Amino acid sequence: ESVRVPLLARTPATPTCALMVDNQSAKRKAPSVEASDGYFESYAGLGIHEEMLRCRRTDAYLQAIRSAGLAGKTVLDVGCGTGVLAIACARAGARKVYAVEASAVAECARAVVSASGLTGLVEVIRGKVEEVELPERVDVIVSEWMGCFLLYESMLDSVLRARDRWLKPGGSMLPRRAQMWLAPFRDEEAAEEQKAFWADVHGIDMSCLAPVARAELARRPEVELLLAQNVISSPSCVLDIGDLASCDLSDCQSLCASFDLSSHVRAELHGFVGYFAVELVPGQWLSTAPDAEPTHWRHVLFHCELPLPVQQDERIRGRLTMTQATQNPRCWDVVISFGVSGGGEERTQRYELDVRC
């Protein structure tokens, strides 16, 4: 069974701590930070930041920062949020930390830095990282840039542009490596529940609407927690960014990958689950796999419009294609083509990866 967890609504409001800080203290502000697609505004309220701070991903980052050898180094924190990672870098011995944040929560970060006695060592800069100016290049770039299924929100684009502008030759990135994974799943309980619901809606048979509901579900992925027992094969790595310090931006703006998997069980294939893993520092991975401890990213479920019967040990073959959406490159157009070795026509499903609340 899958465990459905509603996404926390992001409140596009200016945090109250913005009133606690003199805005003139922002030494280097980029212009036009308010003119955006709504992305930065979605991170202006503290609710979404509280969810992320409570997530185990924060503990993983703090552990990695402590072991990253930052003593005496300069650090750029891209998208610093409330400032927790920037402060951790300072406490790990960094000589200077530039904490860049485009949303209004930058004022909260500045207040937290001041309360921590780190003003001067940690400089919070309100602005887009593509537009801000720093007085020097840095040794390390730290960022929690990952979105659902790794690439959603396309914050990696900003991080790599910052890398090209501000990272010293031989400098390091945290995280240093990133992978995307895809696996088929089954969910008989959810399928039966939906069928039963439309068959008796307050005493009315609405079964004629069930195909419409399935078609809608099959167009837009869901962000949910999926139990590991619902995954019916080993996963396939569909993207491996081996070195974030040297990869090309263009390699992260589209992808096309094939997969060839063997089903562990006889079941109906109801869709594919997408998740990711990042290597923060050598040997320390943060995984969002179904068999790992849950995170605020959850999993992305790409539902099939119709289930596909699969036999045990049967091959599930296909292709995943992802491109940034034309109208909003923070969202992604996803195409999954798939079939089984036992025969039948190849199916193609198209999705819009846009999980904004």
Side-chain angles (χ1 to χ4, degrees), residues 5-202:
V5 183
L7 284 174
L8 180 66
R10 298 173 181 172
T11 306
T14 301
T16 55
C17 55
L19 303 176
M20 300 164 52
V21 188
D22 179 5
N23 287 339
Q24 297 303 316
S25 63
K27 297 181 180 179
R28 280 178 279 276
K29 290 185 180 179
S32 68
V33 295
E34 300 301 333
S36 74
D37 53 11
Y39 173 70
F40 299 118
E41 289 84 347
S42 73
Y43 283 96
L46 282 179
I48 182 62
H49 293 279
E50 180 178 350
E51 184 186 24
M52 293 188 291
L53 290 168
R54 290 177 180 271
C55 176
R56 68 178 176 90
R57 71 37 137 173
T58 302
D59 293 324
Y61 265 83
L62 296 180
Q63 180 182 346
I65 287 170
R66 288 192 292 268
S67 63
L70 298 183
K73 294 186 177 181
T74 51
V75 178
L76 170 60
D77 181 359
V78 179
C80 72
T82 54
V84 60
L85 301 186
I87 290 172
C89 291
R91 289 178 173 175
R95 174 176 64 81
K96 180 72 176 184
V97 182
Y98 301 100
V100 177
E101 173 59 48
S103 81
V105 82
E107 307 303 341
C108 290
R110 194 171 288 120
V112 173
V113 168
S114 177
S116 301
L118 294 172
T119 302
L121 180 57
V122 177
E123 182 175 348
V124 179
I125 305 171
R126 172 82 188 277
K128 295 179 181 178
V129 74
E130 293 90 342
E131 300 173 2
V132 300
E133 295 295 329
L134 304 181
E136 59 182 327
R137 303 189 80 177
V138 299
D139 300 296
V140 181
I141 292 180
V142 174
S143 182
E144 194 280 88
W145 53 264
M146 299 82 72
C148 298
F149 202 23
L150 190 69
L151 297 179
Y152 177 68
E153 297 183 352
S154 299
M155 186 178 168
L156 179 57
D157 294 21
S158 297
V159 172
L160 296 184
R161 291 187 179 105
R163 177 204 65 186
D164 294 342
R165 289 186 68 196
W166 299 113
L167 188 64
K168 293 178 181 177
S172 60
M173 304 283 287
L174 195 164
R176 63 194 299 268
R177 183 180 181 182
Q179 297 177 335
M180 292 172 60
W181 295 85
L182 190 74
F185 73 88
R186 63 181 183 182
D187 196 347
E188 294 92 346
E189 182 175 339
E192 288 301 318
E193 188 279 330
Q194 186 184 57
K195 180 180 178 181
F197 171 78
W198 290 110
D200 183 5
V201 182
H202 301 288

Side-chain angles (χ1 to χ4, degrees), residues 91-354:
R91 289 178 173 175
R95 174 176 64 81
K96 180 72 176 184
V97 182
Y98 301 100
V100 177
E101 173 59 48
S103 81
V105 82
E107 307 303 341
C108 290
R110 194 171 288 120
V112 173
V113 168
S114 177
S116 301
L118 294 172
T119 302
L121 180 57
V122 177
E123 182 175 348
V124 179
I125 305 171
R126 172 82 188 277
K128 295 179 181 178
V129 74
E130 293 90 342
E131 300 173 2
V132 300
E133 295 295 329
L134 304 181
E136 59 182 327
R137 303 189 80 177
V138 299
D139 300 296
V140 181
I141 292 180
V142 174
S143 182
E144 194 280 88
W145 53 264
M146 299 82 72
C148 298
F149 202 23
L150 190 69
L151 297 179
Y152 177 68
E153 297 183 352
S154 299
M155 186 178 168
L156 179 57
D157 294 21
S158 297
V159 172
L160 296 184
R161 291 187 179 105
R163 177 204 65 186
D164 294 342
R165 289 186 68 196
W166 299 113
L167 188 64
K168 293 178 181 177
S172 60
M173 304 283 287
L174 195 164
R176 63 194 299 268
R177 183 180 181 182
Q179 297 177 335
M180 292 172 60
W181 295 85
L182 190 74
F185 73 88
R186 63 181 183 182
D187 196 347
E188 294 92 346
E189 182 175 339
E192 288 301 318
E193 188 279 330
Q194 186 184 57
K195 180 180 178 181
F197 171 78
W198 290 110
D200 183 5
V201 182
H202 301 288
I204 303 172
D205 185 353
M206 296 189 179
S207 299
C208 60
L209 301 183
V212 179
R214 287 197 303 268
E216 289 182 355
L217 183 64
R219 282 196 298 269
R220 179 153 299 186
E222 288 190 296
V223 178
E224 300 176 349
L225 290 176
L226 185 75
L227 296 180
Q229 66 196 43
N230 284 22
V231 178
I232 65 173
S233 82
S234 298
S236 176
C237 184
V238 293
L239 178 66
D240 188 352
I241 307 174
D243 184 6
L244 284 162
S246 63
C247 67
D248 291 331
L249 174 59
S250 59
D251 295 336
C252 308
Q253 293 178 317
S254 65
L255 72 93
C256 183
S258 300
F259 54 87
D260 186 346
L261 306 167
S262 177
S263 177
H264 299 322
V265 295
R266 177 183 178 184
E268 286 191 333
L269 189 160
H270 289 102
F272 294 85
V273 57
Y275 57 92
F276 68 86
V278 292
E279 187 180 26
L280 298 173
V281 292
Q284 184 186 335
W285 286 84
L286 171 60
S287 172
T288 65
D291 60 355
E293 183 182 347
T295 68
H296 78 282
W297 288 288
R298 303 173 179 90
H299 310 117
V300 177
L301 304 185
F302 299 94
H303 292 274
C304 300
E305 186 168 350
L306 295 173
L308 177 65
V310 178
Q311 302 300 316
Q312 184 172 349
D313 299 324
E314 192 169 23
R315 309 300 299 186
I316 304 169
R317 300 187 176 103
R319 296 177 305 282
L320 168 74
T321 302
M322 292 181 59
T323 55
Q324 290 179 328
T326 302
Q327 292 186 339
N328 184 356
R330 296 196 184 278
C331 304
W332 288 76
D333 295 326
V334 181
V335 180
I336 302 179
S337 300
F338 61 98
V340 295
S341 57
E345 294 184 0
E346 182 180 78
R347 299 186 184 184
T348 297
Q349 298 266 179
R350 302 179 185 277
Y351 307 90
E352 300 173 4
L353 184 51
D354 181 356

